[in-house]
Amino acid sequence: MKKPAFLFNQRITVLVAVLVILFIIFAYGSLIYPHSWFQPSGGSLEPPSVTHVLGTDDLGIDIFAQLSRGFFTSILIGLMAAAIAFMLGGVLGGLAGYFKGWVDESISFVINLFLAIPQLPIMIVMGAFFGPSIVNVVLIVALFSWAPIAKIVRAKMVERIDSNYIRLAKSYGGGFFYIVKTHLLPDILPVLSVNAIAVIGKAIVQEASLAFLGLSDPLSKSWGLMMNKAINFKGIYFMDAWIWWLLPPLFCLMGTILCIRLISREIENQLIND
Amino acid sequence: MKKRCLILSLILASFILVTGCSSDSTDNATTDKHVEVIRLAGGTDWGSPNPFLNVGRGPGIGKTKLIFDSLLEADESGIIPWLATEWSVEGNVFTFKLKDGAAFHDGTPLTTADVAFTIDYYKAHPPVSNPISNNLIQSYEIVDPGTIKISVEKPLATTIAKLGSFQILPKHIWEKVADPATFNSPEAFIGSGPYKFSSYDAAAGSYEFIAYEDYNIAKPAADKIQFVPVSDALLAFENNEIDICDVPVDVLEKYEQDDSVGIITKDNDMGYRILINFEKIPAFNDLNLRAALYQGIDRQGIVDKVFRGSGAVGSAGYVPPTNIFFSDNVKTYDYNKEAALAAFKDKNIQVKIAVGNSGADVKIAELVKLNLEEIGIGVDMAAYDTQVRDDKVYSGDYEMAIVGNGGWGREPDYLRTIYSANSKNKAKSPASMGPIGWDNPDITQLAEDQLKEMDPEKRKEMFKALQDKISQEIPIIVLATQTTNVIYRPDYYDGWTKTYDYQQFEQNRLSYVEQ
């Protein structure tokens, strides 16, 4: 089987390597590093040292350990939200494009509705309404991420469904599942995957936004929440602590999002070129 | 020679005049200075500033007091005349004489008919903060438009303070209002206080009050008072966007060396405790388990980490050690994880703890959760918006709750409203949040009796005995009390005034009038 061309793209390789390095560093922070991400292991606001490589927060909890935990929380939220958006967007977009008629009209109406709704205010209201938990954050983020995927999948389906080979397959008695699996999925899957990767990055930002606004579980650990707590620490800007408390989650968030977005874009470009 | 003496005398006279003048002007600058605006950090919704719609916590009640006056006021030395210029007590009858010319913001004169109406209205529709609750007032008699006699069953130690502090409503407006909870037209904000309502934005947590130009009790110290939403209060203070703000202990030293900045300390006035609903967790009826719970929480850790060392470990008798009513004989419970672990071993206790979702509440919750899990208690921390958490506590919808509030430095009649079976959980106020499903007749008796004692020294001893008993029973886990510092610019405005028993001076009406 021929490997997809993007696996040989140098830029993608570099970006994936960066993510893998981050993964290894944070896996070390989560599994081997001696300090807990939730228990105080030092004094309050200790600056970076050999013992605490990135210092401690006001409760004496190690920043690097929290950062490591935050990475996996963010990635997990991103993957879960992307998986839901992938499924929802793929299925609904596929159904709309395949069946057309009232099915297409109904689903397209819902897709356009979700595309038109301003996301952040609604997410804030829903976050406040449903309460702060990781599951709720995942569901809220997924709810606002499936529509663009569905729209693209639908367009791709509409384009393919009128092709002669699909008509032929239908005339030979090919059923819905057979046609989708054999003829449509190979075309749609790469587009779906690229968009799903983009959702990972978007979900991480949105989770961080909700956490930063205080709408995430305040007792969990994520990068957004770390920034929220650092910024809300009275007098943080008049002390040195912002350097080791606020900046690491900020840079980690920016770096990870950048990597994921660039990977998504590079794969997209590669697919277009192919 | 004569001429030289004359010149010397003139120089001396000029010197005295100049120094005398400069001295006067400094005094004026720091005490009677009128400013255009006093700006404080806003950003939190404390409800609409009227007696029925404010959030029943200090900042909400304090804003309402700017608009709605009361018969008496309090300064640093004690109770002082206010709307009532004179008062007297004969037996169980209190007579108040109102100040001539007092009027509401719409120009309608304020008379004793309004005072009487308010008493009746509050009986039918209790306000958020109700000093005259529990049928304190038996009857009243309007002697004339400026004099009213109020009868109580028995004068108690706190009666005059309570009669003097309820907020007076304009009868001509409120007599038409059947449901005060839904009445929020502009008329709902007409009072007789030193400031008139100008604007309120719930979403932004901003408020503006403007001086009532015809106020004849004292001159408003500012044309406007604004509560401005700020992202970081200290930065806003530095940028001159607000005139006063809390300063964290970490940067206090910087301001201690700055002569242009004044610092006011509130000594252990903010406190945090764990409330237990014994009906939902009957296991804690066992005193040994309560003691183990106390031992299992590293309360010094809370002081060191959450309060950055600025505070004190909570006294098991509730009253903080810096309060003059504190008892030295309260039982203490030192942190002893091993003893607590042994007590909870095999008990398999699971608790759900309601906690506020911001500020110190979350940090305390984080540390308490760790401590409790270490001693074998399963913890599900449920974080809510402060008002939602408070509502859960008021309605008894909780197993355990971490609650914080100010006012711990005041005279501890709050022991009665927290621990007495007859008085606890009667009002929607943090000072009324008592343990549900727990009662101790001795503590109830003593908490109620102190109110009847009119000799201050004997009453003080009763407060101490009460704390000693509470510290033996420990139905509430008192975590820690915090000492906070506030900075302001005395050159701009220096009228901040604590009352004799309340340190939260930003909530004091006197802080905003010229004295």
Side-chain angles (χ1 to χ4, degrees):
Chain A
M1 188 181 162
K2 190 187 165 193
K3 286 187 180 174
F6 62 75
L7 289 182
F8 302 105
N9 182 311
Q10 206 173 8
R11 270 183 282 190
I12 294 175
T13 314
V14 171
L15 289 166
V16 172
V18 172
L19 269 188
V20 170
I21 291 168
L22 283 177
F23 183 89
I24 292 168
I25 292 172
F26 292 129
Y28 165 78
S30 295
L31 302 171
I32 303 166
Y33 189 62
H35 303 302
S36 161
W37 58 270
F38 65 94
Q39 272 184 322
S41 55
S44 237
L45 296 178
E46 277 186 24
S49 64
V50 178
T51 318
H52 298 281
V53 290
L54 288 175
T56 62
D57 69 5
D58 57 338
L59 299 183
I61 305 174
D62 188 274
I63 296 286
F64 178 61
Q66 289 185 61
L67 212 57
S68 304
R69 170 76 181 185
F71 175 80
F72 291 106
T73 306
S74 296
I75 292 290
L76 185 72
I77 287 172
L79 285 175
M80 283 163 59
I84 296 171
F86 177 92
M87 294 297 291
L88 212 58
V91 170
L92 289 177
L95 287 176
Y98 189 91
F99 289 109
K100 299 188 182 172
W102 69 269
V103 178
D104 182 25
E105 281 172 21
S106 312
I107 294 174
S108 292
F109 173 75
V110 179
I111 290 171
N112 290 329
L113 192 71
F114 272 91
L115 287 174
I117 293 172
Q119 293 188 14
L120 194 61
I122 301 289
M123 283 174 65
I124 291 170
V125 171
M126 289 178 73
F129 188 77
F130 290 118
S133 82
I134 286 179
V135 174
N136 287 345
V137 170
V138 166
L139 291 177
I140 291 166
V141 170
L143 197 63
F144 282 100
S145 304
W146 67 271
I149 297 177
K151 198 169 178 74
I152 292 166
V153 170
R154 180 195 162 275
K156 198 87 179 163
M157 285 287 264
V158 168
E159 183 194 321
R160 287 282 185 275
I161 205 79
D162 289 330
S163 311
N164 289 337
Y165 69 95
I166 300 286
R167 284 187 188 164
L168 194 65
K170 276 188 180 175
S171 69
Y172 277 109
F176 171 74
F177 289 107
Y178 171 79
I179 290 172
V180 168
K181 191 182 158 196
T182 317
H183 298 295
L184 297 174
L185 216 50
D187 270 353
I188 290 167
L189 212 52
V191 181
L192 202 55
S193 305
V194 169
N195 281 281
I197 292 171
V199 170
I200 297 176
K202 190 178 147 193
I204 292 173
V205 173
Q206 288 180 337
E207 186 278 332
S209 309
L210 289 177
F212 183 75
L213 292 169
L215 294 166
S216 179
D217 180 358
L219 295 162
S220 67
K221 295 281 180 230
S222 74
W223 291 340
L225 206 57
M226 282 176 80
M227 288 191 284
N228 170 294
K229 286 185 177 171
I231 280 175
N232 286 319
F233 184 82
K234 284 180 183 168
I236 182 91
Y237 302 114
F238 298 86
M239 307 157 68
D240 294 333
W242 66 275
I243 297 169
W244 68 81
W245 192 3
L246 179 61
L247 293 188
L250 182 66
F251 286 133
C252 282
L253 187 67
M254 284 165 57
T256 310
I257 301 301
L258 200 63
C259 275
I260 293 171
R261 282 301 303 177
L262 288 176
I263 289 171
S264 164
R265 205 190 65 173
E266 287 298 327
I267 296 176
E268 200 175 347
N269 287 343
Q270 191 73 53
L271 287 172
I272 291 167
N273 293 338
D274 290 349
Chain B
M1 183 68 190
K2 248 184 176 179
K3 198 176 175 184
R4 198 178 291 169
C5 279
L6 187 67
I7 291 168
L8 273 172
S9 304
L10 277 171
I11 291 170
L12 196 64
S14 313
F15 178 75
I16 290 168
L17 205 65
V18 168
T19 50
C21 282
S22 63
S23 165
D24 280 346
S25 65
T26 310
D27 285 345
N28 285 340
T30 56
T31 56
D32 294 333
K33 193 173 173 186
H34 184 89
V35 294
E36 189 185 329
V37 59
I38 299 173
R39 295 158 306 173
L40 300 95
T44 306
D45 179 16
W46 295 108
S48 301
N50 100 358
F52 299 95
L53 300 176
N54 72 80
V55 173
R57 282 181 169 262
I61 298 164
K63 289 176 182 63
T64 308
K65 281 166 68 177
L66 294 173
I67 298 176
F68 293 87
D69 248 351
S70 51
L71 291 173
L72 305 173
E73 189 41 90
D75 68 7
E76 283 158 331
S77 56
I79 290 169
I80 59 169
W82 201 247
L83 199 51
T85 51
E86 293 173 39
W87 76 91
S88 59
V89 190
E90 275 179 59
N92 63 337
V93 179
F94 292 75
T95 305
F96 295 94
K97 291 198 171 175
L98 302 190
K99 187 172 178 67
D100 290 337
F104 291 104
H105 298 157
D106 61 357
T108 310
L110 189 158
T111 69
T112 46
D114 295 292
V115 179
F117 168 79
T118 304
I119 293 169
D120 291 336
Y121 199 82
Y122 282 175
K123 275 187 182 167
H125 309 282
V128 172
S129 168
N130 190 10
I132 52 173
S133 59
N134 298 333
N135 291 320
L136 175 72
I137 296 173
Q138 280 199 319
S139 62
Y140 58 78
E141 179 195 344
I142 297 175
V143 179
D144 58 52
T147 312
I148 186 167
K149 290 186 172 186
I150 297 175
S151 302
V152 298
E153 189 185 349
K154 188 176 188 297
L156 304 171
T158 57
T159 301
I160 188 64
K162 289 186 171 181
L163 292 180
S165 60
F166 69 91
Q167 294 161 355
I168 293 162
L169 302 171
K171 181 185 176 191
H172 63 285
I173 292 172
W174 290 85
E175 64 188 352
K176 299 168 215 155
V177 179
D179 182 9
T182 56
F183 180 52
N184 63 355
S185 69
E187 286 185 313
F189 304 98
I190 289 177
S192 61
Y195 289 86
K196 296 191 283 188
F197 174 70
S198 172
S199 68
Y200 156 57
D201 182 341
S206 67
Y207 294 81
E208 185 181 83
F209 304 89
I210 51 174
Y212 174 29
E213 57 280 4
D214 295 329
Y215 195 59
N216 68 350
I217 297 173
K219 193 177 174 205
D223 294 338
K224 285 180 195 169
I225 299 171
Q226 293 175 335
F227 289 83
V228 189
V230 292
S231 57
D232 185 286
L234 203 53
L235 274 181
F237 181 82
E238 285 283 337
N239 294 335
N240 215 12
E241 292 163 13
I242 54 174
D243 304 310
I244 183 165
C245 84
D246 283 358
V247 60
V249 68
D250 298 278
V251 291
L252 185 61
E253 195 182 346
K254 164 178 147 67
Y255 294 103
E256 281 172 342
Q257 292 160 0
D258 186 343
D259 293 338
S260 69
V261 171
I263 300 173
I264 302 173
T265 299
K266 299 172 187 171
D267 225 349
N268 288 304
D269 198 55
M270 185 77 197
Y272 291 83
R273 60 194 187 273
I274 301 179
L275 290 170
I276 303 170
N277 185 339
F278 290 83
E279 289 173 0
K280 297 205 171 172
I281 318 179
F284 285 117
N285 280 311
D286 180 350
L287 179 58
N288 293 328
L289 282 191
R290 298 205 294 272
L293 192 60
Y294 244 113
Q295 290 176 307
I297 299 173
D298 179 13
R299 294 175 295 142
Q300 185 62 49
I302 292 173
V303 175
D304 293 342
K305 286 172 174 151
V306 183
F307 303 156
R308 309 283 298 142
S310 178
V313 165
S315 162
Y318 199 96
V319 178
T322 46
N323 189 312
I324 56 165
F325 293 91
F326 174 69
S327 168
D328 293 321
N329 298 323
V330 288
K331 190 172 175 181
T332 55
Y333 299 85
D334 294 333
Y335 179 48
N336 188 337
K337 193 165 76 174
E338 286 70 32
L341 187 60
F344 284 105
K345 196 180 172 191
D346 304 327
K347 290 284 188 291
N348 196 24
I349 293 177
Q350 295 280 329
V351 293
K352 184 174 181 181
I353 305 182
V355 61
N357 64 357
S358 60
D361 291 49
V362 174
K363 294 175 185 180
I364 291 172
E366 221 170 309
L367 295 179
V368 166
K369 183 174 192 282
L370 289 171
N371 286 160
L372 295 188
E373 285 174 346
E374 279 172 357
I375 59 171
I377 299 177
V379 179
D380 173 15
M381 278 286 176
Y384 304 100
D385 177 73
T386 306
Q387 288 176 36
V388 175
R389 189 271 324 272
D390 283 358
D391 284 342
K392 280 187 168 291
V393 172
Y394 297 142
S395 61
D397 180 19
Y398 70 96
E399 290 181 3
M400 288 172 103
I402 295 177
V403 179
N405 63 286
W408 291 49
R410 67 198 324 175
E411 178 194 272
D413 182 46
Y414 51 68
L415 294 177
R416 177 179 59 86
T417 53
I418 290 172
Y419 291 97
S420 161
N422 299 345
S423 303
K424 68 181 177 181
N425 301 322
K426 298 278 191 213
K428 287 190 170 184
S429 143
S432 293
M433 294 174 177
I436 294 174
W438 170 91
D439 181 24
N440 181 298
D442 288 348
I443 288 176
T444 294
Q445 186 71 44
L446 195 50
E448 297 295 333
D449 284 352
Q450 59 79 21
L451 206 52
K452 297 168 193 154
E453 180 56 64
M454 303 301 272
D455 180 334
E457 278 309 311
K458 284 184 185 168
R459 192 160 173 248
K460 193 172 178 179
E461 289 310 312
M462 291 172 86
F463 277 132
K464 290 186 174 185
L466 187 54
Q467 289 168 66
D468 297 345
K469 279 183 189 291
I470 289 168
S471 71
Q472 303 284 338
E473 281 292 319
I474 48 172
I476 288 173
I477 309 299
V478 185
L479 295 170
T481 49
Q482 184 180 20
T483 293
T484 53
N485 296 285
V486 180
I487 51 172
Y488 66 102
R489 292 190 182 84
D491 289 346
Y492 180 68
Y493 184 68
D494 194 20
W496 305 110
T497 310
K498 292 180 181 177
T499 75
Y500 68 99
D501 80 334
Y502 195 47
Q503 300 188 59
Q504 307 290 336
F505 57 87
E506 305 98 316
Q507 299 160 18
N508 184 7
R509 195 186 282 135
L510 276 191
S511 285
Y512 302 96
V513 296
E514 293 182 14
Q515 296 167 49

